[in-house]
Amino acid sequence: MVETGKPVFFVDVHSDPVVMRIEGRASFQNSSCLRDFATEMLAQGKTRLVIDFQHCTSMDSTFLGILAGVALQLRQKTKASDPQPLILARVGQRNLELIRNLGIHRLMTVDAGDFKMSFDKCSRPLTQQEQDELTSARVALEAHENLIAADEGNRSKFQDVLSFLRNRVENGSL
């Protein structure tokens, strides 16, 4: 675990599949770097990603929506016959419950056991760029729209959040 207590995503971009290790809480405060990283990897032709959740203490809906968006992006770039483009490894019981509750487990492979892969070479930390409140609202809106794209049943769960975020983004005022 990271000594500072600050949540960090560590990556190994030289492996195939690309691997990421989450240390700490995955939330709206740090999920943009996951989206940006996945976009960067796709631009480089890397279409397989494994994320280690062993030390992920919790997740919020914005992070889960970004995760769903990454899964949808990867699916668009791969053929149905290709291996699963996104694997979540060593997912704890509480995080597994959140993933299943939102239906995003259908977009990826979720391993709740002892995944047989080394995450020791994940040494490059991703950095979260500073965002103004409007940009953060746009990211959160996109993330929650991804959750609805993943499972229409999520619309009722997040309708108030979506209305609030759309209003903020459309009015440009925060």
Side-chain angles (χ1 to χ4, degrees):
M1 189 78 147
V2 176
E3 305 238 347
T4 64
K6 182 179 178 184
V8 179
F9 302 159
F10 291 98
V11 296
D12 177 4
V13 298
H14 303 292
S15 64
D16 183 25
V18 172
V19 293
M20 174 185 287
R21 186 180 76 237
I22 300 174
E23 298 279 339
R25 178 169 164 71
S27 72
F28 70 96
Q29 296 174 319
N30 59 9
S31 57
S32 290
C33 66
L34 169 60
R35 182 191 62 180
D36 297 344
F37 176 72
T39 300
E40 177 186 330
M41 291 298 98
L42 283 169
Q44 294 179 23
K46 297 181 179 195
T47 58
R48 296 183 331 131
L49 175 64
V50 175
I51 304 175
D52 178 22
F53 280 79
Q54 185 173 28
H55 298 290
C56 178
T57 56
S58 64
M59 305 178 291
D60 70 10
S61 60
T62 298
F63 173 79
L64 288 162
I66 294 294
L67 193 61
V70 167
L72 292 167
Q73 272 187 307
L74 289 169
R75 280 183 160 198
Q76 289 176 347
K77 299 290 183 178
T78 57
K79 296 179 272 190
S81 60
D82 287 347
Q84 179 59 262
L86 179 59
I87 298 172
L88 308 185
R90 304 192 298 182
V91 177
Q93 191 59 40
R94 176 66 182 133
N95 287 338
L96 180 60
E97 197 176 297
L98 292 169
I99 290 165
R100 286 185 177 154
N101 186 41
L102 296 177
I104 64 172
H105 63 286
R106 294 183 211 103
L107 301 175
M108 56 201 78
T109 298
V110 181
D111 176 82
D114 188 26
F115 195 74
K116 302 296 182 206
M117 183 174 198
S118 173
F119 296 92
D120 296 338
K121 293 186 180 184
C122 294
S123 57
R124 180 183 133 201
L126 296 182
T127 55
Q128 178 72 29
Q129 300 298 317
E130 284 291 320
Q131 296 178 339
D132 60 30
E133 287 186 46
L134 184 58
T135 302
S136 294
R138 285 186 182 121
V139 169
L141 177 60
E142 175 189 327
H144 288 83
E145 288 171 339
N146 289 339
L147 290 172
I148 292 167
D151 186 332
E152 186 61 35
N154 290 329
R155 184 175 303 280
S156 63
K157 294 174 186 173
F158 296 110
Q159 65 188 7
D160 292 341
V161 172
L162 286 169
S163 295
F164 175 76
L165 291 170
R166 277 194 190 108
N167 185 42
R168 291 186 115 183
V169 168
E170 289 168 2
N171 292 328
S173 62
L174 301 172

